Amino acid sequence: MHPALQGLLTIFLGVGGCIAYFYFSNQFLDKVLFPAKGDNAGRNINRANMVRPWLFLFPAIFALGLYLAYPVFATLWYSLTDRDQGGAFVGLANYRQMFDDPKFWEAVQNNMLWLLVVPAASTAFGLLAAQLTDRIKWGSIAKSLIFMPMAISFVGASVIFKLIYDTRPVAQSQIGVLNAVWLQFDGGVGSFLILRLVPGLLMICAAAAALFVAWGMIQAARTGKGGSLATVMRAIGALILTAIGFVALSLAYGAFTKTFDYGVPQTWLTIPGWNSFFLMIVLIWIQTGFAMVILSAALRGIPEETVEAAIVDGANPFQVFFKIKMPQISGTIVVVWTTITLVVLKVFDIVFAMTNGQWETQVLANYMYDKLFRANDWGLGSASAMVIMLLVSPILIWNVYNARKEMR
């Protein structure tokens, strides 16, 4: 059969099957199971109305159970068995083997670094872009350009940045943008300004901003407003921001003390430590547009009266932004932060396409892929998948809790 006819037949059967299910199930409910006639007509109508929503929701619940719930339990079972022994139950042996693997702890360490840098940077740049683009005439065009990377797949973005980081031998011309720029530095005043002073000052400013916000969250946590759960989340956020601040300070120190190899093309993706940051840039580039759109809508929703009252009281633009606007959109910032955190915990495409976990860039999702589909070790791969699920679950629960709280 021709593929086009197969597609049309599939659409016809799918749509027709749905219509037939809803029609005949409704008829069965009203005519056979709870007929609206006789002495019990009123009771049957009430019972039919109670059953009908569940009858209509059954296909979706069944599909979700089949494609979401079943894989979770199957993965949990595989993580407790050994495929080489015919699926024999081995308990926590796969987890012990995984915890003894240095690559696993390398993946955990890199994931934690990604969690510290990417959500913070994406949210900060998105908030900055949202604030600035709302103040210029061509802000809509700027927003479109910033949001455009969201339309590119992770693999496509990885290919683009892999060309940017490309390295050719010394005798050949460099096609990588970063190396072409790098070869222009010779250790003079320009090199000091661009490679040391500017990055160092930027990192110091980032550290100061992170520590300032962390201090504000600590002060808010001490007041106890919003309940115990909000206090705990503020304390956790303050700890994360404090860690980010110290990481930024260490990077600033490195910018002023690092010895640079001028005049030699660099293989950027093979430099341990720094290569992870080069990979993070790809995800930050993509997620900044998402953060900007959500936070821009939140900023537009701030009542003008509060801003005008602050200006009348003598507040400067920085005070208006940090003291008036930021507290009013803190809930949106948390949602954006946690959403990007979920993406980071599952990041796979960028690492797989650019380094494949080599040169100390391994992450948990890529580690799971290596064990499942390369080493064909289903037990170890499933165990790592369960670790990822355990890390993701608290954030999902927190988002659901907040969504239900806002709907009350």
Side-chain angles (χ1 to χ4, degrees), residues 113 116-117 199-211 240-256 274 277:
L113 186 61
L116 286 175
V117 176
L201 291 178
L202 286 175
M203 289 299 102
I204 291 172
C205 291
L211 294 175
I240 293 173
L241 288 170
T242 302
I244 292 172
F246 282 108
V247 169
L249 286 176
S250 66
L251 291 175
Y253 176 78
F256 286 111
W274 289 100
F277 288 99

Side-chain angles (χ1 to χ4, degrees), residues 67-89:
Y67 290 104
L68 291 180
Y70 169 73
V72 171
F73 290 106
T75 303
L76 176 61
W77 173 251
Y78 285 140
S79 71
L80 302 173
T81 60
D82 189 344
R83 193 183 185 191
D84 294 335
Q85 300 179 22
F89 182 79

Side-chain angles (χ1 to χ4, degrees), residues 75-256:
T75 303
L76 176 61
W77 173 251
Y78 285 140
S79 71
L80 302 173
T81 60
D82 189 344
R83 193 183 185 191
D84 294 335
Q85 300 179 22
F89 182 79
V90 294
L92 300 177
N94 290 315
Y95 290 92
R96 285 194 293 268
Q97 183 182 349
M98 180 179 65
F99 292 146
D100 290 336
D101 187 357
K103 271 291 183 180
F104 170 75
W105 292 110
E106 176 191 313
V108 171
Q109 181 180 349
N110 284 330
N111 262 101
M112 292 302 105
L113 186 61
W114 281 68
L115 286 175
L116 286 175
V117 176
V118 176
S122 300
T123 305
F125 288 140
L127 183 59
L128 181 64
Q131 175 68 12
L132 295 180
T133 52
D134 284 340
R135 301 170 67 92
I136 55 179
K137 294 182 179 179
W138 46 279
S140 299
I141 298 175
K143 285 181 179 178
S144 301
L145 293 174
I146 296 171
F147 187 77
M148 196 175 295
M150 284 290 295
I152 304 174
S153 69
F154 283 9
V155 175
S158 302
V159 171
I160 293 171
F161 274 84
K162 201 168 185 179
L163 291 173
I164 293 175
Y165 300 147
D166 185 78
T167 303
R168 295 295 175 89
V170 179
Q172 299 182 18
S173 58
Q174 300 297 319
I175 66 168
V177 176
L178 196 56
N179 264 318
V181 173
W182 169 255
L183 293 178
Q184 304 304 312
F185 297 110
D186 57 3
V189 176
S191 301
F192 173 80
L193 291 175
I194 298 176
L195 297 180
R196 296 188 186 276
L197 186 61
V198 173
L201 291 178
L202 286 175
M203 289 299 102
I204 291 172
C205 291
L211 294 175
F212 174 78
V213 177
W215 176 251
M217 296 181 75
I218 292 173
Q219 295 297 320
R222 292 172 67 178
T223 61
K225 292 182 179 179
S228 58
L229 183 59
T231 301
V232 171
M233 294 306 298
R234 290 191 187 105
I236 294 173
L239 287 174
I240 293 173
L241 288 170
T242 302
I244 292 172
F246 282 108
V247 169
L249 286 176
S250 66
L251 291 175
Y253 176 78
F256 286 111

Side-chain angles (χ1 to χ4, degrees), residues 237-307:
L239 287 174
I240 293 173
L241 288 170
T242 302
I244 292 172
F246 282 108
V247 169
L249 286 176
S250 66
L251 291 175
Y253 176 78
F256 286 111
T257 59
K258 181 178 174 56
T259 301
F260 294 105
D261 193 5
Y262 298 110
V264 179
Q266 303 294 312
T267 52
W268 303 104
L269 296 179
T270 65
I271 304 174
W274 289 100
N275 49 9
S276 291
F277 288 99
F278 289 130
L279 298 181
M280 293 176 203
I281 289 173
V282 183
L283 190 55
I284 293 171
W285 180 64
I286 294 173
Q287 293 297 319
T288 295
F290 163 76
M292 177 199 66
V293 170
I294 304 300
L295 294 173
S296 177
L299 287 171
R300 288 177 180 271
I302 295 175
E304 288 293 334
E305 293 81 2
T306 59
V307 178

Side-chain angles (χ1 to χ4, degrees), residues 2 11 22 43-44 87 95 133 154 156 160 269 317 341 347 397:
H2 194 275
I11 294 173
F22 289 120
R43 185 181 64 181
N44 286 348
Y95 290 92
T133 52
F154 283 9
I160 293 171
L269 296 179
T341 299
V347 66
I397 294 170

Side-chain angles (χ1 to χ4, degrees), residues 103 106 110 275 279 348 350-363 366-367 370 374:
K103 271 291 183 180
E106 176 191 313
N110 284 330
N275 49 9
L279 298 181
F348 164 76
I350 295 172
V351 176
F352 180 78
M354 298 186 73
T355 64
N356 196 23
Q358 301 179 81
W359 307 297
E360 301 179 12
T361 59
Q362 187 69 284
V363 291
N366 199 71
Y367 177 84
D370 286 343
R374 286 187 172 148

